[in-house]
Amino acid sequence: MPEQRGPAGTIRYWAAAKAAAGTAEEPYAAGTLAEALAAARRRHAARPEFARVLQRCSFLVDGDPVGTRDHTTVRLAEGGTVEVLPPFAGG
């Protein structure tokens, strides 16, 4: 397994993302959101629904919405938090 690099923090999964991951949260060690999500996909490769759910999710990094920004440009901080938010029903 390749050595993890970059700042360390926490990924938190909500609703359908939590169910697909099989956990509420897990650590990351990555410099960008793209790297953290790629590592999460590898960790959960045995759960194909996880990758499908991630495609529909929105993300908050340290409380700030990522929106349409390219995930390779979203830097992660030491001790930071990535919130993985699937679409919510209702209104």
Side-chain angles (χ1 to χ4, degrees):
M1 178 177 266
E3 178 183 331
Q4 291 185 339
R5 297 179 186 196
T10 303
I11 300 175
R12 290 191 184 135
Y13 300 106
W14 297 96
K18 178 179 173 181
T23 187
E25 63 181 49
E26 62 188 355
Y28 70 74
T32 68
L33 179 58
E35 293 167 2
L37 294 176
R41 283 186 194 95
R42 286 190 301 274
R43 277 193 302 276
H44 299 288
R47 295 172 159 270
E49 182 61 18
F50 179 76
R52 287 191 289 273
V53 168
L54 276 189
Q55 291 175 340
R56 299 187 309 265
C57 287
S58 58
F59 304 93
L60 298 177
V61 174
D62 297 331
D64 295 324
V66 171
T68 59
R69 286 184 285 163
D70 183 332
H71 294 174
T72 63
T73 67
V74 179
R75 304 295 305 167
L76 300 180
E78 182 69 30
T81 302
V82 174
E83 307 279 351
V84 181
L85 307 167
F88 293 96

